[in-house]
Amino acid sequence: MQISEVIGKKALQANLADYEEACRRFDWEDVCKELTFFDNGQMNIAYNAIDRHCKTWRKDKTALIWEDEDGHRKEFTFLEARRITDKIANLLKGLGVQKGDRVFLYLPRLPELYFSVIAAAKLGAIAGPLFSAFGPEGVRDRLGDSEAKVLITTPELQKRVEGICKDLPALEQILLVGGRGPLGPGEASFEAEFEKASELFRAEPMDPEDPLYILYTSGTTGRPKGVVHVHNDMISYYITSRFVLDLRDEDVYWCTADPGWATGTVYGLFGPWLNGATQVAYEGRFDPDQWHSLIERNKVTVWYTAPTPLRLLMAAGEPYAGRYNLKSLRHILSVGEPLNPEVIRWSMHVYGLPVHDTWWQTETGSMMIANYPAMPIKVGSMGKPFPGVAAAIIDIEGNELPPGHTGFLAIKPGWPSMLRQIWRDPARYREYFRVRGWYVTGDTAYVDNDGYYWFVGRADDVINTSGHRVGPYEIESVLVEHPAIAEAGVIGKPDPERGQIIKAFIALKNGFDPSEQLKEEIRRFVRERLATHAYPREIEFRDSLPKTRSGKIIRRVLKAWDLGLPPGDLSVME
Ligand code: WTA
């Protein structure tokens, strides 16, 4: 089914007016001409995102509108953003941070978070944004693996991870945002240091291949992987924000994602600012009234969100949208999980606009497949590959499959924002390129006769809950630390609202009995240690779990159990 309303006057004015034509002409080199490079091909993404605009009329344009759920609001122009990020860069330099050092950010969505990521990049340090829902084990794994030198956090979050510092020998300094209490050794007040820091900082000229940030993401097995991106990514961020988000100077743009996730870092920070766009950041929980009033108050025009909040808005019902004037909206997009057709139909009805699905991953750095404003939407499809990106559906040997056949979604390596390494783990990096000539995404999909891509599923056991990517291994490792648990296996269980929920199958140690109370205790155990977003909503006790002869839990069988299906071939079982 096509929504023909999408093709209209609006589409003719889109930044990408003709998709087919753009694909024919597209050249990454042309994109570079729209960005600033220093001598010898050196560059700095932070210079391009902020400083560059201060040489034009945009210096007095609003760069960031920040709000929280308690009604606080701040605005910053590009000139103010430049001054602040210069000062933070000087502050970090004063603490001894050098090019290549890791500066991690464990912060709520405060202006300091956004500006510190930019400041770290200005200085050539590697930023590490961490989702503030993580608990001590989640934070310790990431700080430990990256050997972070500086951690910027708040006193409240610091309290949550108390006790991990002894396991982090590389961590030298903790900067506390909003800290008024006494400071311990190795701690400093962000505000006090900020006051002292000098004003001007010249963005460090970087080699395009120099690391920019590390975002940890999950695979099927093992600890989270540190996906490393580089300054050269800016080429992809800039042009995808222009063509897919369709950002223009008069827009007010809101990305609902936290910078602890790829969407928040790339499209809630760098991408829009590379285009000189005004963006909104909101620190608060999901709430239909808060969200809609934020759009109304700020006259948001372009909105990048995800299927789960859209489904929750849909479930909250029309009255919520009806109470607000949302006429400012002109373009809505979504990412992170399959976007179901009902949501698009509902959005047409309530906002008068379809939702444009986009597909990409932490590893791809930028949108790879998308629906463009000037292209008809096929409801339920992820859209078509970005110009300059070669996607395909392949089999296990790397042969391209014809339309209609489900296979592995793969991309031809070489786009500017492709991951450059898994931090200190070359073997896990190579896994992505195990099929010669391709970057293998881990998703399965098919392409139709018109070149539209359709998502089918994950080829591995990675869980996608509310658009958050969660590795079963991380949760299983925490579960087996619980005194009552002998074995644990974790799967994603289909859920109408959240896409998937986390379900744990648990075998208890002798002497422990299943009970609702124990389930609740186990949930709390995971929330407090790992993360408040990644705990098993559903728990099922079993006498024992299916394992291979080498002792690995067979999640395939757990999934079959959950669906009440036959478990399939059990010949490898213990
Ligand atoms: C899934 C988020 C269906 C997919 C930017 C992918 C999607 C993983 C879509 C990456 C979509 C992302 N439709 N599934 N439009 N977009 N995914 O790294 O499984 O957190 O591999 O990046 O989310 O998650 P990640």
Side-chain angles (χ1 to χ4, degrees):
M1 187 187 122
Q2 294 196 348
I3 299 180
S4 50
E5 300 96 289
V6 179
I7 319 168
K9 234 168 79 210
K10 175 171 58 94
L12 293 175
Q13 299 159 355
N15 289 340
L16 183 75
D18 184 338
Y19 171 77
E20 310 293 338
E21 172 73 4
C23 288
R24 275 191 296 275
R25 289 166 167 264
F26 193 85
D27 186 349
W28 293 109
E29 286 298 320
D30 292 338
V31 183
C32 296
K33 291 180 196 140
E34 294 175 37
L35 294 159
T36 303
F37 286 77
F38 308 137
D39 294 341
N40 313 323
Q42 291 190 305
M43 44 117 96
N44 190 307
I45 191 173
Y47 177 88
N48 278 275
I50 302 290
D51 302 10
R52 179 168 73 114
H53 304 305
C54 298
K55 298 203 154 92
T56 71
W57 66 269
R58 287 201 191 96
K59 64 182 190 299
D60 297 319
K61 182 179 171 178
T62 303
L64 180 67
I65 299 171
W66 174 83
E67 293 194 358
D68 71 7
E69 61 185 5
D70 300 324
H72 300 105
R73 190 173 193 281
K74 290 179 188 168
E75 281 195 33
F76 304 86
T77 63
F78 276 98
L79 205 58
E80 285 164 334
R82 177 182 178 156
R83 191 184 142 262
I84 294 169
T85 54
D86 277 1
K87 282 189 76 133
I88 302 175
N90 276 322
L91 180 176
L92 292 172
K93 198 173 179 182
L95 293 178
V97 173
Q98 292 175 355
K99 213 166 155 170
D101 284 344
R102 274 77 63 208
V103 173
F104 269 60
L105 307 117
Y106 180 45
L107 286 171
R109 287 178 243 187
L110 301 174
E112 285 84 351
L113 167 59
Y114 296 80
F115 293 139
S116 297
V117 172
I118 294 283
K122 248 184 198 182
L123 177 74
I126 305 173
L130 292 175
F131 191 33
S132 56
F134 278 117
E137 303 214 356
V139 174
R140 191 195 47 208
D141 277 355
R142 289 158 175 82
L143 293 182
D145 182 67
S146 63
E147 299 189 313
K149 187 168 179 175
V150 173
L151 177 68
I152 309 182
T153 186
T154 61
E156 295 75 32
L157 288 173
Q158 188 197 25
K159 207 173 286 150
R160 204 196 290 163
V161 300
E162 239 171 16
I164 64 167
C165 287
K166 61 178 187 330
D167 303 327
L168 302 169
L171 186 64
E172 289 176 11
Q173 222 9 279
I174 297 181
L175 270 171
L176 292 166
V177 175
R180 268 168 277 279
L183 296 163
E187 294 174 4
S189 148
F190 185 93
E191 288 76 15
E193 298 300 316
F194 182 83
E195 278 314 308
K196 283 190 276 177
S198 51
E199 293 268 329
L200 277 181
F201 189 92
R202 194 173 161 272
E204 193 70 32
M206 305 295 287
D207 185 281
E209 291 301 308
D210 281 335
L212 170 65
Y213 63 83
I214 306 179
L215 270 178
Y216 281 82
T217 192
S218 302
T220 296
T221 53
R223 298 269 156 214
K225 309 182 257 194
V227 175
V228 179
H229 282 282
V230 299
H231 280 252
N232 191 60
D233 276 42
M234 79 172 175
I235 300 164
S236 294
Y237 299 176
Y238 166 76
I239 197 66
T240 50
S241 298
R242 199 171 138 67
F243 281 177
V244 189
L245 300 176
D246 196 41
L247 293 176
R248 310 185 203 147
D249 260 321
E250 60 279 16
D251 279 317
V252 176
Y253 164 77
W254 181 32
C255 169
T256 61
D258 189 289
W261 300 96
T263 306
T265 294
V266 177
Y267 296 109
L269 217 158
F270 287 116
W273 280 342
L274 286 165
N275 283 272
T278 298
Q279 51 181 333
V280 178
Y282 173 63
E283 164 53 25
R285 278 157 305 180
F286 171 81
D287 173 85
D289 274 313
Q290 291 267 16
W291 276 37
H292 282 140
S293 71
L294 179 143
I295 294 173
E296 179 183 64
R297 189 165 52 252
N298 295 294
K299 298 195 171 56
V300 170
T301 56
V302 180
W303 184 27
Y304 195 19
T305 186
T308 291
L310 288 169
R311 281 190 291 264
L312 292 173
L313 287 170
M314 189 166 84
E318 233 174 293
Y320 279 98
R323 255 184 252 153
Y324 299 94
N325 177 355
L326 307 173
K327 294 230 163 14
S328 57
L329 285 171
R330 71 167 184 87
H331 191 33
I332 308 177
L333 307 100
S334 157
V335 67
E337 359 156 29
L339 178 66
N340 35 330
E342 301 90 286
V343 174
I344 302 186
R345 294 194 193 109
W346 168 81
S347 160
M348 290 289 285
H349 180 61
V350 173
Y351 304 118
L353 300 165
V355 181
H356 291 71
D357 195 14
T358 64
W359 179 94
W360 60 290
Q361 305 177 297
T362 308
E363 293 89 336
T364 68
S366 64
M367 299 164 181
M368 295 282 103
I369 295 175
N371 286 285
Y372 310 89
M375 191 179 83
I377 291 178
K378 285 198 189 185
V379 176
S381 158
M382 306 189 285
K384 293 191 183 187
F386 190 77
V389 168
I393 305 297
I394 60 169
D395 66 15
I396 203 139
E397 271 122 37
N399 305 304
E400 284 189 44
L401 297 179
H405 291 254
T406 296
F408 302 107
L409 176 59
I411 320 269
K412 272 249 155 358
W415 70 96
S417 67
M418 190 178 82
L419 81 160
R420 293 308 200 276
Q421 43 167 310
I422 294 297
W423 184 254
R424 293 190 180 153
D425 197 341
R428 285 176 104 192
Y429 177 74
R430 280 195 301 271
E431 279 173 26
Y432 291 103
F433 304 95
R434 59 188 178 270
V435 180
R436 208 185 155 80
W438 294 102
Y439 161 80
V440 183
T441 66
D443 284 357
T444 56
Y446 66 91
V447 60
D448 70 16
N449 282 318
D450 299 323
Y452 282 79
Y453 281 73
W454 300 76
F455 181 81
V456 174
R458 283 291 303 186
D460 56 21
D461 292 330
V462 169
I463 300 167
N464 190 332
T465 180
S466 304
H468 295 144
R469 191 164 150 187
V470 177
Y473 177 82
E474 262 191 286
I475 305 170
E476 289 163 0
S477 316
V478 174
L479 284 170
V480 294
E481 284 174 28
H482 188 281
I485 297 179
E487 295 172 345
V490 165
I491 59 162
K493 177 189 169 90
D495 180 80
E497 230 158 49
R498 296 187 165 82
Q500 290 185 317
I501 56 163
I502 299 168
K503 173 163 182 178
F505 287 90
I506 288 172
L508 294 174
K509 285 185 187 156
N510 282 339
F512 291 92
D513 294 319
S515 71
E516 283 308 314
Q517 194 191 340
L518 182 56
K519 281 187 188 173
E520 202 38 55
E521 190 194 309
I522 291 170
R523 282 190 204 105
R524 188 158 20 91
F525 187 80
V526 179
R527 285 171 65 93
E528 281 171 6
R529 278 174 177 68
L530 184 63
T532 50
H533 68 281
Y535 69 95
R537 279 178 192 268
E538 201 171 304
I539 292 174
E540 189 173 322
F541 294 115
R542 291 272 175 155
D543 292 337
S544 68
L545 301 184
K547 287 187 291 299
T548 61
R549 291 194 193 100
S550 59
K552 242 178 79 185
I553 287 168
I554 311 174
R555 297 202 189 96
R556 176 171 54 79
V557 178
L558 301 181
K559 285 179 191 167
W561 276 358
D562 181 55
L563 297 170
L565 297 173
D569 178 16
L570 296 179
S571 58
V572 292
M573 266 177 67
E574 184 183 46

